[in-house]
Amino acid sequence: MRAFTLGDFDFALPPELIAQQPAAERSASRLLDGRHAAPADRVFRELPALLTPGDLLVFNDTQVIKARLFGEKPTGGRVEMLVERVLRGCEAVVHLRASKKPPVGTTLAMEGGFTATLLGRWPDADGPLFRFGFSDEPFALMERHGHVPLPPYIEHADTAQDAERYQTVFARSPGAIAAPTAALHFDDAVLASLEACGVRRASLTLHVGAGTFQPVRTDDIAQHRMHSEWYEIPAATQEAIAHTRLHGGRIVAVGTTTVRTLESWALTGQTEGDTDIFITPGFRFRLVDLMVTNFHLPRSTLMMLVSAFAGHEHVMGLYRHAVEQRYRFFSYGDAMLLERK
C-alpha cells in the first residue's frame, strides 16, 4: 500500500455540476453502477434489481434539525449559530459566527423572541465550540424559529422545498445538521420494490455534524483529525446483520455515515457512543460489502473513505466518468453503487 497524500483525492469539477436543487423525483436521480471495471449508467429506481434476495440495506435514520439560528448581541452585533449537539436540559453546543465572540455570561436575543446565554466553551475550556443555555427546549425552538442548515456549496437560502427534500423519507431521530444524502434518493416506490425483491431493511442512527464539511488542511492525510459524531445501533439491527451474515446475504450500507457507524462498531464492539473513525486506503473493512453513496467533494475525507472501500484508481476513474457524463454532484446530486474491493 503506497502512501497517499491529499492531492491524490483531487479532481476537476465544473461548478455547474454542483446540484443546487433536488431532482424533481427522488428516485429519478441517476445511479452510476460502479461495481465492475466498466461503469454502467442507470437510474436510481433500478437499484432493487441490482441487489440479491437476502441482502440487507442499512439506513441512517437521523433527522436533520433546523439548526441554523440568528440573533444579536447586547451591543447590536449580528450572530449566527449552527447547533451541533443538544445536551441535557436546555443546553446546546453550537458553532458561533460573530464579528467578535461574546464573553461568557452574555445573553443573546434570538430571532423568534427567545434568548441564549453563553455558558462556556466545549468540550473543554479551550474547545472550538460554544455551550449555550436556551430559554426553552432547543429542539422545539429550532423547529419553530430555525433554518434548514444547507451545505455551504448550496447557494440559495433555505425554502419549504428544502425542509422536505433535505430529509429522508424515513428520518425519525432528530439531531443531524447535515442529511445522510445517499438516502435522499429512496422513496416509497423504491422501498416497496426492495421488499418485493426480497431485500431486507434495517436502521441505525448517526447524527451528522458540521465536521462532515471540514476540509483536510494537511498534505499528510494521517495528520488530519476527524470530528466526533454520536451513533447508536439498535439490537434489532445487530440481529438483522447477524442473520444476514449467517444466511450468506450481503450488508449494503446506504451512505458514508452508515459505513462509518458499522465499521466503528466492528472495530470497537461499542453499539452506542461517539466515533471519530477516519477511513483511508489501507483500512480493513469488517462488515460492509456494498455501499450506496453520492459524489463527494474533492480532497475530502469522504473521497478517502470511498477510495478505501472500492480502490483508489477505480474510484478516481468513476469520478472522471461521472464528470464526462454530466452527473450531478454533492448533497442534491446523483448516486453511485460500489462494491468492496
Side-chain angles (χ1 to χ4, degrees):
M1 174 63 65
R2 71 179 178 89
F4 288 89
T5 63
L6 184 58
D8 289 316
F9 304 94
D10 202 3
F11 62 92
L13 179 67
E16 66 270 17
L17 296 187
I18 301 174
Q20 296 296 319
Q21 303 287 344
E25 183 184 349
R26 289 179 186 264
S27 59
S29 298
R30 298 171 73 186
L31 175 67
L32 178 57
D33 184 355
R35 294 173 297 165
H36 311 296
D41 302 310
R42 302 183 183 275
V43 179
F44 193 83
R45 64 171 63 96
E46 298 178 52
L47 176 66
L50 305 181
L51 303 178
T52 303
D55 287 346
L56 179 71
L57 272 171
V58 185
F59 295 96
N60 182 2
D61 65 8
T62 189
Q63 181 179 330
V64 179
I65 54 178
K66 294 181 178 179
R68 183 163 283 123
L69 301 167
F70 297 94
E72 63 179 40
K73 295 181 288 186
T75 58
R78 296 288 293 168
V79 296
E80 178 183 336
M81 285 184 183
L82 187 63
V83 177
E84 175 78 16
R85 184 178 300 202
V86 174
L87 305 176
R88 292 180 178 178
C90 291
E91 294 185 10
V93 172
V94 312
H95 302 261
L96 187 64
R97 180 180 294 179
S99 57
K100 183 179 180 181
K101 299 299 189 293
V104 172
T106 300
T107 296
L108 307 179
M110 307 299 295
E111 288 185 0
F114 66 99
T115 61
T117 301
L118 179 58
L119 304 176
R121 296 272 186 155
W122 193 88
D124 52 44
D126 299 313
L129 302 182
F130 296 81
R131 184 168 60 92
F132 275 86
F134 287 79
S135 57
D136 201 347
E137 201 280 319
F139 283 120
L141 290 172
M142 285 186 284
E143 182 59 31
R144 290 198 299 268
H145 309 299
H147 295 263
V148 179
L150 293 174
Y153 44 75
I154 292 181
E155 297 171 353
H156 64 265
D158 65 307
T159 65
Q161 181 192 42
D162 295 307
E164 177 193 359
R165 294 296 302 275
Y166 195 63
Q167 192 82 268
T168 67
V169 297
F170 37 73
R172 69 162 191 85
S173 180
I177 61 175
T181 55
L184 295 178
H185 307 284
F186 289 83
D187 55 23
D188 291 339
V190 169
L191 295 175
S193 181
L194 288 164
E195 185 175 356
C197 290
V199 177
R200 303 169 68 225
R201 291 166 50 195
S203 295
L204 50 75
T205 305
L206 180 137
H207 291 322
V208 191
T212 192
F213 303 113
Q214 178 183 338
V216 180
R217 293 188 172 90
T218 60
D219 194 53
D220 178 3
I221 61 175
Q223 299 300 312
H224 179 71
R225 293 294 171 262
M226 286 289 288
H227 55 286
S228 179
E229 295 168 319
W230 181 89
Y231 73 92
E232 180 183 23
I233 305 174
T237 298
Q238 299 171 45
E239 293 164 4
I241 290 171
H243 178 274
T244 302
R245 282 276 188 247
L246 182 64
H247 292 86
R250 299 173 299 178
I251 307 301
V252 186
V254 179
T256 56
T257 62
T258 301
V259 172
R260 293 183 70 233
T261 303
L262 291 175
E263 295 299 333
S264 294
W265 171 39
L267 194 63
T268 66
Q270 296 180 342
T271 59
E272 180 179 353
D274 282 77
T275 179
D276 60 359
I277 189 171
F278 186 18
I279 298 177
T280 59
F283 181 87
R284 185 169 71 87
F285 290 86
R286 294 163 171 83
L287 270 182
V288 180
D289 300 304
L290 293 99
M291 69 178 299
V292 180
T293 185
N294 276 24
F295 293 94
H296 304 295
L297 278 75
R299 301 164 70 93
S300 66
T301 60
L302 304 182
M303 279 295 293
M304 298 169 195
L305 185 152
V306 295
S307 296
F309 186 78
H312 176 262
E313 294 303 321
H314 181 57
V315 165
M316 298 308 290
L318 291 173
Y319 270 67
R320 287 192 294 271
H321 175 88
V323 171
E324 291 167 0
Q325 297 302 314
R326 311 294 289 178
Y327 276 72
R328 301 168 74 244
F329 277 67
F330 306 164
S331 295
Y332 275 151
D334 297 314
M336 179 164 53
L337 178 64
L338 297 174
E339 189 169 42
R340 188 178 66 197
K341 183 179 179 181

